[in-house]
Coordinates of all heavy atoms in Angstrom, one line a residue:
M1 N -86.3 111.7 118.1 CA -84.8 111.5 118.0 C -84.3 111.2 116.7 O -83.1 111.3 116.3 CB -84.3 110.5 119.0 CG -84.4 110.9 120.5 SD -83.5 112.4 121.0 CE -82.0 112.4 120.3
S2 N -85.1 110.5 115.9 CA -84.6 109.9 114.7 C -85.7 110.1 113.5 O -86.8 110.4 113.7 CB -84.6 108.4 114.9 OG -84.4 107.7 113.7
A3 N -85.0 110.0 112.2 CA -86.0 110.1 111.0 C -87.0 108.9 111.1 O -87.9 108.9 110.3 CB -85.1 110.2 109.8
E4 N -86.5 107.8 111.8 CA -87.3 106.6 111.9 C -88.0 106.4 113.2 O -87.4 105.9 114.1 CB -86.5 105.4 111.5 CG -85.9 105.5 110.1 CD -84.9 104.3 109.8 OE1 -85.3 103.2 110.2 OE2 -84.1 104.5 109.1
P5 N -89.1 107.1 113.5 CA -89.6 107.2 114.9 C -89.9 105.8 115.4 O -89.9 105.5 116.6 CB -90.9 108.0 114.8 CG -91.0 108.3 113.4 CD -90.0 107.9 112.6
E6 N -90.2 104.7 114.6 CA -90.4 103.4 115.1 C -89.3 102.8 115.7 O -89.4 101.7 116.4 CB -91.0 102.6 113.9 CG -90.0 102.2 112.8 CD -89.9 103.3 111.8 OE1 -90.6 104.3 111.8 OE2 -89.2 103.0 110.8
C7 N -88.1 103.3 115.6 CA -86.9 102.8 116.2 C -86.8 103.2 117.7 O -85.9 102.8 118.4 CB -85.7 103.2 115.4 SG -85.5 102.4 113.8
W8 N -87.5 104.1 118.2 CA -87.5 104.7 119.6 C -88.8 104.4 120.2 O -89.9 104.5 119.8 CB -87.3 106.2 119.5 CG -85.9 106.5 118.7 CD1 -85.7 106.7 117.5 CD2 -84.6 106.6 119.4 NE1 -84.3 106.9 117.1 CE2 -83.7 106.9 118.4 CE3 -84.3 106.4 120.7 CZ2 -82.3 107.0 118.7 CZ3 -82.9 106.5 121.0 CH2 -81.9 106.8 120.0
V9 N -88.6 104.0 121.6 CA -89.8 103.7 122.4 C -89.6 104.7 123.7 O -88.6 104.7 124.3 CB -89.9 102.3 122.9 CG1 -88.7 101.8 123.6 CG2 -91.0 102.0 123.6
L10 N -90.7 105.2 124.0 CA -90.8 106.2 125.1 C -90.6 105.4 126.4 O -91.3 104.5 126.6 CB -92.0 106.9 125.1 CG -92.2 107.9 126.2 CD1 -91.3 109.1 126.2 CD2 -93.8 108.4 126.2
L11 N -89.6 106.0 127.3 CA -89.5 105.4 128.6 C -90.1 106.2 129.7 O -90.5 105.7 130.6 CB -87.9 105.2 128.9 CG -87.2 104.2 128.0 CD1 -85.8 104.2 128.4 CD2 -87.8 102.9 127.9
G12 N -90.0 107.5 129.5 CA -90.4 108.3 130.6 C -90.1 109.9 130.3 O -89.4 110.1 129.3
D13 N -90.4 110.6 131.3 CA -89.9 112.1 131.2 C -89.8 112.6 132.5 O -90.0 112.0 133.6 CB -91.0 112.9 130.3 CG -92.4 112.9 131.1 OD1 -92.6 112.1 132.1 OD2 -93.2 113.6 130.8
F14 N -89.2 113.8 132.6 CA -89.0 114.7 133.7 C -89.1 116.2 133.2 O -88.9 116.4 132.0 CB -87.7 114.3 134.5 CG -86.5 114.3 133.6 CD1 -85.8 115.6 133.6 CD2 -86.1 113.3 132.9 CE1 -84.5 115.7 132.9 CE2 -85.0 113.5 132.2 CZ -84.2 114.6 132.2
S15 N -89.2 117.0 134.2 CA -89.2 118.4 133.8 C -88.6 119.3 134.9 O -88.4 118.9 136.1 CB -90.7 118.9 133.6 OG -91.4 118.8 134.7
Y16 N -88.2 120.5 134.5 CA -87.5 121.5 135.3 C -88.2 122.8 135.1 O -88.6 123.2 134.0 CB -86.0 121.7 134.9 CG -85.2 120.5 135.2 CD1 -84.3 120.1 134.2 CD2 -85.2 119.7 136.2 CE1 -83.4 119.1 134.2 CE2 -84.4 118.6 136.4 CZ -83.4 118.2 135.4 OH -82.7 117.2 135.4
S17 N -88.4 123.6 136.2 CA -89.0 124.9 136.1 C -87.8 125.8 135.5 O -86.7 125.8 135.9 CB -89.3 125.3 137.4 OG -89.8 126.7 137.5
T18 N -88.3 126.7 134.7 CA -87.4 127.8 134.1 C -87.7 129.1 134.7 O -87.1 130.1 134.4 CB -87.5 127.9 132.6 OG1 -88.9 128.3 132.4 CG2 -87.2 126.6 132.0
G19 N -88.6 129.1 135.8 CA -88.9 130.3 136.5 C -90.1 131.1 135.8 O -90.3 130.8 134.6
M20 N -90.7 131.9 136.3 CA -91.7 132.8 135.8 C -92.8 132.0 135.2 O -93.4 132.3 134.2 CB -91.1 133.8 134.7 CG -90.0 134.6 135.2 SD -90.2 136.2 135.7 CE -91.1 137.0 134.4
G21 N -93.0 130.8 135.7 CA -94.1 129.9 135.4 C -93.8 129.0 134.2 O -94.6 128.2 133.8
G22 N -92.7 129.1 133.7 CA -92.2 128.2 132.5 C -91.6 127.0 133.0 O -91.2 126.8 134.2
H23 N -91.5 126.0 132.1 CA -90.9 124.8 132.3 C -90.3 124.1 131.1 O -90.8 124.4 130.0 CB -91.7 123.8 133.2 CG -92.8 123.2 132.5 ND1 -94.1 123.8 132.1 CD2 -92.9 122.0 131.8 CE1 -94.8 123.0 131.3 NE2 -94.1 121.9 131.2
I24 N -89.4 123.2 131.2 CA -88.9 122.4 130.2 C -89.2 121.0 130.4 O -88.7 120.5 131.5 CB -87.3 122.6 129.8 CG1 -87.1 124.0 129.6 CG2 -86.8 121.7 128.8 CD1 -85.6 124.4 129.5
R25 N -89.8 120.3 129.6 CA -90.0 118.8 129.8 C -88.9 118.0 128.9 O -88.7 118.4 127.8 CB -91.4 118.5 129.3 CG -91.8 117.1 129.3 CD -93.3 116.9 128.9 NE -93.5 115.4 128.8 CZ -94.1 114.8 127.7 NH1 -94.5 115.6 126.7 NH2 -94.3 113.6 127.7
F26 N -88.4 117.0 129.6 CA -87.4 116.3 128.9 C -88.0 114.8 128.7 O -88.5 114.2 129.6 CB -86.1 116.2 129.7 CG -85.3 117.4 129.7 CD1 -85.6 118.4 130.7 CD2 -84.5 117.8 128.7 CE1 -85.0 119.6 130.7 CE2 -83.8 119.0 128.7 CZ -84.1 120.0 129.7
I27 N -87.8 114.2 127.5 CA -88.4 113.0 127.2 C -87.2 112.0 127.0 O -86.3 112.4 126.2 CB -89.2 113.0 125.9 CG1 -90.5 113.7 126.2 CG2 -89.6 111.7 125.4 CD1 -90.3 115.3 126.0
V28 N -87.3 110.8 127.5 CA -86.2 109.8 127.4 C -86.8 108.6 126.6 O -87.8 108.0 126.9 CB -85.7 109.3 128.8 CG1 -84.5 108.3 128.5 CG2 -85.2 110.5 129.6
E29 N -86.0 108.2 125.6 CA -86.4 107.2 124.7 C -85.3 106.2 124.6 O -84.1 106.6 124.7 CB -86.7 107.6 123.3 CG -87.9 108.6 123.3 CD -88.1 109.3 121.9 OE1 -87.2 109.8 121.4 OE2 -89.2 109.0 121.4
R30 N -85.6 104.9 124.3 CA -84.6 103.8 124.1 C -84.8 103.3 122.6 O -85.9 103.2 122.0 CB -84.9 102.7 125.0 CG -84.0 101.4 124.7 CD -84.2 100.3 125.7 NE -83.8 100.7 127.0 CZ -84.5 100.6 128.2 NH1 -85.7 99.9 128.1 NH2 -84.0 101.0 129.2
N31 N -83.6 103.2 122.0 CA -83.6 102.6 120.7 C -83.8 101.1 120.6 O -83.3 100.3 121.3 CB -82.2 102.9 120.0 CG -82.2 102.6 118.5 OD1 -82.1 101.5 118.1 ND2 -82.1 103.7 117.7
T32 N -84.8 100.7 119.8 CA -85.1 99.3 119.7 C -84.1 98.4 119.0 O -84.1 97.2 119.2 CB -86.5 99.1 119.1 OG1 -86.4 99.7 117.7 CG2 -87.7 99.7 119.9
E33 N -83.3 99.0 118.1 CA -82.2 98.3 117.5 C -81.0 98.1 118.2 O -80.3 97.1 118.1 CB -82.0 98.9 116.1 CG -83.1 98.9 115.1 CD -82.9 99.7 113.8 OE1 -81.8 100.3 113.8 OE2 -83.8 99.7 113.1
D34 N -80.7 99.1 119.1 CA -79.6 99.0 120.1 C -80.1 99.4 121.5 O -80.1 100.6 121.8 CB -78.4 99.9 119.7 CG -77.3 99.9 120.6 OD1 -77.3 99.2 121.7 OD2 -76.2 100.7 120.3
P35 N -80.6 98.5 122.2 CA -81.2 98.9 123.5 C -80.3 99.6 124.5 O -80.9 100.2 125.5 CB -81.6 97.5 124.2 CG -81.8 96.5 123.0 CD -80.8 97.0 122.1
A36 N -79.1 99.6 124.3 CA -78.2 100.5 125.2 C -78.2 102.0 124.8 O -77.9 102.9 125.6 CB -76.7 100.0 125.2
L37 N -78.7 102.3 123.5 CA -78.7 103.6 123.1 C -80.0 104.3 123.5 O -81.1 103.8 123.4 CB -78.7 103.5 121.5 CG -78.5 104.9 120.9 CD1 -77.2 105.7 121.3 CD2 -78.5 104.7 119.3
H38 N -79.9 105.5 124.1 CA -81.0 106.3 124.5 C -80.9 107.7 124.1 O -79.9 108.3 123.7 CB -81.0 106.3 126.0 CG -81.2 105.1 126.7 ND1 -80.3 104.1 126.8 CD2 -82.3 104.5 127.3 CE1 -80.8 103.1 127.3 NE2 -82.0 103.3 127.6
G39 N -82.0 108.4 123.9 CA -82.1 109.7 123.4 C -83.0 110.5 124.4 O -83.7 110.1 125.1
I40 N -82.4 111.8 124.5 CA -83.2 112.9 125.2 C -83.6 114.0 124.3 O -82.9 114.4 123.4 CB -82.3 113.5 126.3 CG1 -81.6 112.5 127.2 CG2 -83.1 114.5 127.1 CD1 -80.4 113.0 127.9
S41 N -84.9 114.3 124.4 CA -85.5 115.4 123.6 C -86.1 116.3 124.6 O -86.5 115.9 125.8 CB -86.5 114.8 122.6 OG -86.0 114.0 121.8
S42 N -86.4 117.6 124.2 CA -87.0 118.6 125.1 C -88.2 119.1 124.4 O -88.3 119.2 123.2 CB -85.9 119.7 125.4 OG -85.7 120.5 124.4
D43 N -89.1 119.7 125.2 CA -90.3 120.4 124.8 C -90.4 121.6 125.8 O -90.6 121.4 126.9 CB -91.5 119.5 124.8 CG -92.8 120.2 124.3 OD1 -92.7 121.4 123.9 OD2 -93.8 119.4 124.3
E44 N -90.4 122.8 125.2 CA -90.5 123.9 126.0 C -91.9 124.6 126.0 O -92.1 125.7 126.4 CB -89.4 125.0 125.6 CG -87.9 124.5 125.8 CD -87.0 125.6 125.4 OE1 -87.2 126.8 125.8 OE2 -86.0 125.2 124.9
D45 N -92.8 123.8 125.5 CA -94.2 124.4 125.5 C -94.4 125.7 124.6 O -95.0 126.6 125.0 CB -94.7 124.6 126.8 CG -95.2 123.2 127.4 OD1 -95.5 122.2 126.7 OD2 -95.3 123.1 128.7
K46 N -93.5 125.8 123.6 CA -93.6 127.0 122.7 C -94.1 126.8 121.4 O -94.0 127.5 120.5 CB -92.2 127.6 122.7 CG -91.7 128.2 124.1 CD -90.4 128.9 123.9 CE -90.0 129.4 125.2 NZ -88.7 130.0 125.3
G47 N -94.7 125.6 121.2 CA -95.2 125.2 119.9 C -94.3 124.6 119.0 O -94.7 124.2 117.8
A48 N -93.0 124.4 119.3 CA -91.9 123.9 118.4 C -92.0 122.5 118.4 O -91.3 121.8 117.6 CB -90.6 124.6 118.7
G49 N -92.5 121.8 119.3 CA -92.4 120.4 119.5 C -91.1 119.9 120.0 O -90.4 120.7 120.6
L50 N -90.9 118.6 120.0 CA -89.8 118.1 120.6 C -88.4 118.4 119.8 O -88.5 118.5 118.6 CB -89.8 116.5 120.6 CG -90.9 116.0 121.5 CD1 -90.9 114.5 121.4 CD2 -90.5 116.3 122.9
R51 N -87.4 118.7 120.5 CA -86.2 119.1 119.9 C -85.1 118.1 120.5 O -85.0 117.9 121.8 CB -85.8 120.5 120.1 CG -86.7 121.3 119.5 CD -86.3 122.9 119.7 NE -87.3 123.7 119.1 CZ -86.9 124.5 118.0 NH1 -85.8 124.5 117.6 NH2 -87.9 125.2 117.4
P52 N -84.2 117.5 119.7 CA -83.2 116.6 120.3 C -82.1 117.4 121.2 O -81.8 118.5 121.0 CB -82.3 116.1 119.0 CG -83.1 116.6 117.8 CD -84.1 117.6 118.2
V53 N -81.8 116.7 122.2 CA -80.9 117.2 123.3 C -79.6 116.5 123.3 O -78.5 117.1 123.3 CB -81.7 117.3 124.7 CG1 -80.6 117.7 125.8 CG2 -82.8 118.2 124.7
A54 N -79.7 115.1 123.4 CA -78.4 114.4 123.5 C -78.8 112.9 123.4 O -80.0 112.5 123.3 CB -77.9 114.5 125.1
V55 N -77.7 112.1 123.0 CA -77.8 110.7 122.9 C -76.7 110.2 123.9 O -75.7 110.6 124.2 CB -77.4 110.2 121.4 CG1 -77.4 108.7 121.4 CG2 -78.4 110.8 120.6
F56 N -77.1 109.0 124.6 CA -76.2 108.4 125.5 C -76.5 106.9 125.6 O -77.5 106.4 125.1 CB -76.4 109.0 126.9 CG -77.8 108.8 127.6 CD1 -77.9 107.6 128.5 CD2 -78.9 109.5 127.3 CE1 -79.1 107.5 129.2 CE2 -80.0 109.3 127.8 CZ -80.2 108.2 128.9
T57 N -75.6 106.2 126.2 CA -75.8 104.8 126.4 C -75.9 104.5 127.9 O -75.4 105.1 128.8 CB -74.5 104.0 125.9 OG1 -73.4 104.4 126.4 CG2 -74.5 104.0 124.4
E58 N -76.8 103.5 128.2 CA -77.0 103.1 129.5 C -77.1 101.5 129.5 O -78.0 100.9 128.9 CB -78.4 103.6 130.0 CG -78.7 103.3 131.5 CD -77.7 103.7 132.5 OE1 -77.0 104.8 132.3 OE2 -77.5 103.0 133.5
P59 N -76.0 100.9 130.0 CA -75.1 101.4 130.9 C -74.1 102.1 130.0 O -73.9 102.1 128.9 CB -74.4 100.2 131.6 CG -74.7 99.1 130.7 CD -76.0 99.4 130.1
A60 N -73.4 103.3 130.7 CA -72.4 104.1 130.1 C -71.4 103.4 129.3 O -70.7 102.6 129.9 CB -71.9 105.2 131.0
R61 N -71.2 103.7 128.0 CA -70.1 103.2 127.1 C -69.1 104.3 126.7 O -68.3 104.1 126.0 CB -70.6 102.3 126.0 CG -71.3 101.1 126.3 CD -71.6 100.3 125.1 NE -72.5 101.0 124.2 CZ -73.4 100.4 123.4 NH1 -73.5 99.1 123.3 NH2 -74.1 101.1 122.6
G62 N -69.4 105.4 127.1 CA -68.7 106.7 126.7 C -69.4 107.9 127.0 O -70.5 107.8 127.7
P63 N -69.0 109.0 126.7 CA -69.6 110.3 127.1 C -70.9 110.5 126.4 O -71.1 110.0 125.4 CB -68.6 111.4 126.7 CG -67.7 110.8 125.6 CD -67.8 109.2 125.9
V64 N -71.7 111.3 127.1 CA -73.0 111.7 126.4 C -72.7 112.7 125.3 O -71.8 113.4 125.3 CB -73.8 112.5 127.4 CG1 -75.1 113.1 126.7 CG2 -74.2 111.6 128.7
Q65 N -73.5 112.5 124.1 CA -73.2 113.3 122.9 C -74.3 114.3 122.9 O -75.4 114.0 122.5 CB -73.3 112.4 121.6 CG -72.3 111.2 121.5 CD -70.9 111.8 121.6 OE1 -70.6 112.6 120.8 NE2 -70.0 111.3 122.5
W66 N -73.9 115.5 123.4 CA -74.9 116.6 123.5 C -75.0 117.3 122.1 O -74.0 117.4 121.4 CB -74.4 117.6 124.6 CG -74.4 117.0 125.9 CD1 -73.3 116.5 126.6 CD2 -75.5 117.0 126.7 NE1 -73.7 116.1 127.8 CE2 -75.0 116.3 128.0 CE3 -76.8 117.3 126.7 CZ2 -75.8 116.0 129.0 CZ3 -77.7 117.1 127.8 CH2 -77.1 116.4 128.9
R67 N -76.2 117.8 121.8 CA -76.3 118.6 120.7 C -75.5 120.0 120.9 O -75.4 120.4 122.0 CB -77.9 119.0 120.4 CG -78.7 117.8 120.2 CD -78.6 117.3 118.9 NE -79.1 118.3 117.9 CZ -79.2 118.1 116.6 NH1 -78.9 117.0 116.1 NH2 -79.6 119.1 115.9
P68 N -75.1 120.7 119.8 CA -74.3 121.8 120.1 C -75.0 122.8 120.8 O -74.3 123.5 121.7 CB -74.1 122.3 118.6 CG -74.1 121.1 117.8 CD -75.2 120.2 118.3
T69 N -76.3 123.1 120.8 CA -76.9 124.1 121.5 C -77.0 123.8 123.2 O -77.2 124.6 123.9 CB -78.4 124.4 121.1 OG1 -79.1 123.1 121.1 CG2 -78.4 124.9 119.7
W70 N -76.8 122.5 123.4 CA -76.8 122.1 124.8 C -75.5 121.8 125.3 O -75.2 121.9 126.6 CB -77.6 120.7 125.0 CG -79.0 121.1 125.0 CD1 -79.9 121.0 123.8 CD2 -79.9 121.4 126.0 NE1 -81.3 121.4 124.2 CE2 -81.2 121.7 125.5 CE3 -79.7 121.7 127.4 CZ2 -82.1 122.1 126.3 CZ3 -80.7 122.1 128.1 CH2 -82.0 122.3 127.6
K71 N -74.4 121.5 124.5 CA -73.1 121.2 125.0 C -72.6 122.3 125.9 O -72.6 123.4 125.5 CB -72.3 121.0 123.8 CG -70.9 120.3 124.1 CD -70.2 119.9 122.9 CE -69.0 119.0 123.3 NZ -68.3 118.5 122.1
G72 N -72.2 121.9 127.2 CA -71.7 122.9 128.1 C -72.7 123.7 128.9 O -72.3 124.4 129.8
D73 N -73.9 123.5 128.7 CA -75.0 124.2 129.5 C -74.9 123.6 130.9 O -74.6 122.6 131.2 CB -76.4 123.7 128.9 CG -77.5 124.6 129.5 OD1 -78.0 124.2 130.6 OD2 -77.9 125.5 128.8
R74 N -75.2 124.6 131.8 CA -75.0 124.3 133.3 C -76.1 123.3 133.7 O -75.9 122.7 134.7 CB -75.1 125.5 134.0 CG -76.5 126.2 134.0 CD -76.6 127.7 134.7 NE -77.8 128.4 134.5 CZ -78.8 128.3 135.2 NH1 -78.7 127.6 136.3 NH2 -79.8 129.0 134.9
M75 N -77.1 123.0 132.8 CA -78.1 122.0 133.2 C -77.8 120.6 132.9 O -78.4 119.6 133.3 CB -79.4 122.3 132.6 CG -80.1 123.6 133.2 SD -81.7 124.1 132.3 CE -82.7 122.5 132.4
C76 N -76.7 120.5 132.1 CA -76.4 119.1 131.5 C -76.2 118.0 132.6 O -76.6 116.9 132.4 CB -75.1 119.2 130.6 SG -75.4 120.0 129.1
A77 N -75.5 118.3 133.6 CA -75.2 117.2 134.6 C -76.5 116.8 135.2 O -76.7 115.6 135.5 CB -74.3 117.8 135.8
A78 N -77.5 117.7 135.6 CA -78.8 117.3 136.1 C -79.6 116.5 135.1 O -80.3 115.5 135.4 CB -79.5 118.5 136.6
I79 N -79.6 117.1 133.8 CA -80.4 116.3 132.8 C -79.8 114.8 132.6 O -80.6 114.0 132.5 CB -80.2 117.0 131.5 CG1 -80.9 118.5 131.6 CG2 -80.9 116.3 130.3 CD1 -80.6 119.4 130.4
E80 N -78.4 114.7 132.5 CA -77.9 113.4 132.4 C -78.3 112.5 133.6 O -78.7 111.3 133.4 CB -76.4 113.4 132.3 CG -75.8 112.1 132.2 CD -74.3 112.1 132.0 OE1 -73.7 113.1 132.0 OE2 -73.7 111.0 131.9
R81 N -78.1 113.0 134.8 CA -78.5 112.2 136.0 C -80.0 111.8 135.9 O -80.3 110.6 136.2 CB -78.3 113.1 137.2 CG -78.7 112.4 138.6 CD -78.9 113.4 139.7 NE -80.0 114.2 139.4 CZ -80.1 115.5 139.7 NH1 -79.1 116.1 140.2 NH2 -81.1 116.3 139.3
D82 N -80.9 112.7 135.7 CA -82.3 112.3 135.6 C -82.7 111.4 134.4 O -83.5 110.5 134.5 CB -83.2 113.6 135.6 CG -83.1 114.2 137.0 OD1 -82.7 113.6 137.9 OD2 -83.5 115.5 137.1
A83 N -82.0 111.6 133.3 CA -82.2 110.7 132.2 C -81.8 109.4 132.4 O -82.4 108.4 132.0 CB -81.6 111.4 130.9
R84 N -80.7 109.1 133.0 CA -80.1 107.8 133.4 C -81.0 107.1 134.4 O -81.2 106.0 134.3 CB -78.7 107.9 133.9 CG -77.7 108.2 132.8 CD -76.3 108.1 133.4 NE -75.4 108.4 132.2 CZ -75.0 107.8 131.2 NH1 -75.5 106.5 131.0 NH2 -74.2 108.2 130.3
R85 N -81.5 108.0 135.4 CA -82.5 107.4 136.3 C -83.8 106.8 135.5 O -84.2 105.6 135.8 CB -82.9 108.4 137.2 CG -84.0 107.9 138.3 CD -84.6 109.1 139.2 NE -84.9 110.3 138.5 CZ -86.0 110.5 137.8 NH1 -86.9 109.5 137.8 NH2 -86.4 111.6 137.2
V86 N -84.3 107.5 134.6 CA -85.4 107.0 133.8 C -85.0 105.8 132.9 O -85.8 104.8 132.8 CB -85.9 108.2 132.9 CG1 -87.0 107.6 131.8 CG2 -86.6 109.4 133.7
A87 N -83.9 105.9 132.3 CA -83.5 104.8 131.5 C -83.2 103.5 132.2 O -83.4 102.4 131.7 CB -82.1 105.2 130.7
S88 N -82.7 103.6 133.4 CA -82.3 102.5 134.3 C -83.5 101.9 135.0 O -83.5 100.7 135.7 CB -81.2 102.7 135.1 OG -81.5 103.7 136.1
G89 N -84.6 102.7 135.1 CA -85.7 102.4 135.9 C -86.7 101.5 135.2 O -87.5 100.8 135.6

């Protein structure tokens, strides 16, 4: 999520099927400098590695900040729900 990876600690992950045998894995991390700040990254198993999806706070202090490629995607509500479950668990 950051240019300084030591500022983020992995909390967990979840994945969704994309059909035809594909899936997207979502990784949830917590910022060590601001423990309320969390990041979501995705990995589509296409060799590109992790890509940032969104940043949010838990507990919520405002709206989720989605990356432009994800903003408005129909999966956002489910991604946010599952990421908050990981963050609060």
Side-chain angles (χ1 to χ4, degrees):
M1 287 303 311
S2 166
E4 301 177 35
E6 67 274 2
C7 293
W8 296 91
V9 61
L10 176 66
L11 296 181
D13 65 345
F14 56 94
S15 62
Y16 298 133
S17 172
T18 59
M20 311 264 302
H23 72 281
I24 301 175
R25 179 176 169 229
F26 293 92
I27 291 84
V28 181
E29 299 174 297
R30 176 177 291 135
N31 188 287
T32 58
E33 295 175 0
D34 179 357
L37 186 62
H38 294 76
I40 307 168
S41 298
S42 69
D43 182 0
E44 296 184 40
D45 284 339
K46 294 182 179 177
L50 292 176
R51 295 180 181 246
V53 173
V55 176
F56 67 99
T57 55
E58 181 61 29
R61 295 187 297 210
V64 175
Q65 300 298 310
W66 296 96
R67 299 284 297 186
T69 55
W70 283 94
K71 195 171 188 173
D73 189 282
R74 62 185 175 90
M75 291 176 56
C76 288
I79 294 168
E80 179 180 356
R81 178 199 64 224
D82 291 341
R84 288 189 184 282
R85 178 185 46 79
V86 170
S88 64

